[in-house]
Amino acid sequence: MHCLHPGDLFPFTRKPLFIIVDSSNSTAYKNFSNLFGQPLVCLLSPTVYPKSVQDQSQRGSLFTLFLYSPLLGFSSVCGLSSVRRGLWERAQDFLRKVFRDIGQMLTRSRSIDQAFLQFFGDEFLRLLLIRFVFCSAALRLHKLFRESRSFPESYPELPKQDTVESGLLQKQVLELAAMLDVQSLFWDDSLESY
């Protein structure tokens, strides 16, 4: 009764709509009906997290943390409670390069749904979308996140080969892990881990 259901948002689909759903029932929005043909994007949180990843739901979820501060989210999922200032700045600089590359992946993809590109002109939404792709790639490579329900999803679905499972992005996630000395927490060759 006190929940927001996908049907509650149908009137808002008369205009372009970008939604972030951070909930243990986010999959309810996976097949959102687009009644009016306007651009519609839903970024959906994982529905479960590995038991060994601390539940911080009282302070916000890991998904929200990744969207707010990707390096903080990455550090949190790796169990890092502190990072030296110089290393933090180097990692932030590295992430800026990664984000530029993700932006290029999204705009160059031939199979991406046009709804994503409709929102790409808005700087804030573009940043959220890029951080979403980074979060999804990082969690897919992390050894603790093996269940498909532990990965963020989107509606419409992003082309995985061009984005979250891109060889370049996987290499960059592993480089960041090496920079922070947590590479043992990630699959070195993600293709063999599936």
Side-chain angles (χ1 to χ4, degrees), residues 64-79:
T64 299
L65 189 57
F66 262 100
L67 295 181
Y68 172 71
S69 174
L71 187 53
L72 198 55
F74 192 85
S75 299
S76 177
V77 79
C78 294

Side-chain angles (χ1 to χ4, degrees), residues 23-130:
S23 162
S24 60
N25 191 28
S26 63
T27 55
Y29 290 79
K30 192 172 180 181
N31 296 311
F32 200 102
S33 297
N34 190 349
L35 300 176
F36 299 101
Q38 291 295 315
L40 170 68
V41 169
C42 299
L43 303 182
L44 311 173
S45 70
T47 55
V48 297
Y49 292 99
K51 291 191 184 341
S52 55
V53 175
Q54 285 184 338
D55 180 22
Q56 308 242 343
S57 56
Q58 298 304 317
R59 294 186 284 174
S61 80
L62 183 63
F63 181 66
T64 299
L65 189 57
F66 262 100
L67 295 181
Y68 172 71
S69 174
L71 187 53
L72 198 55
F74 192 85
S75 299
S76 177
V77 79
C78 294
L80 297 174
S81 57
S82 66
V83 177
R84 288 186 340 270
R85 183 182 183 126
L87 180 58
W88 180 268
E89 290 168 358
R90 267 191 17 242
Q92 287 284 38
D93 288 341
F94 181 74
L95 272 181
R96 278 189 272 283
K97 178 193 177 312
V98 172
F99 292 165
R100 276 193 306 272
D101 291 345
I102 292 172
Q104 289 176 353
M105 285 177 206
L106 291 169
T107 57
R108 291 180 181 165
S109 172
R110 293 176 186 237
S111 55
I112 194 167
D113 191 288
Q114 291 300 304
F116 290 104
L117 300 179
Q118 293 284 332
F119 292 108
F120 217 68
D122 182 288
E123 186 177 349
F124 179 68
L125 298 179
R126 179 175 58 241
L127 185 61
L128 286 173
L129 185 55
I130 288 170

Side-chain angles (χ1 to χ4, degrees), residues 121-184:
D122 182 288
E123 186 177 349
F124 179 68
L125 298 179
R126 179 175 58 241
L127 185 61
L128 286 173
L129 185 55
I130 288 170
R131 289 175 173 181
F132 171 84
V133 170
F134 173 74
C135 170
S136 191
L139 296 184
R140 278 178 162 70
L141 285 174
H142 199 285
K143 289 180 178 177
L144 294 178
F145 291 78
R146 297 315 329 141
E147 236 182 294
S148 63
R149 297 181 309 153
S150 297
F151 305 142
E153 297 185 65
S154 65
Y155 172 82
E157 195 172 332
L158 280 168
K160 287 183 176 63
Q161 291 299 90
D162 295 345
T163 57
V164 299
E165 293 178 0
S166 152
L168 173 63
L169 183 53
Q170 290 177 346
K171 178 178 173 273
Q172 291 172 323
V173 168
L174 294 174
E175 286 177 29
L176 179 62
M179 184 184 294
L180 297 173
D181 198 27
V182 291
Q183 62 269 32
S184 64

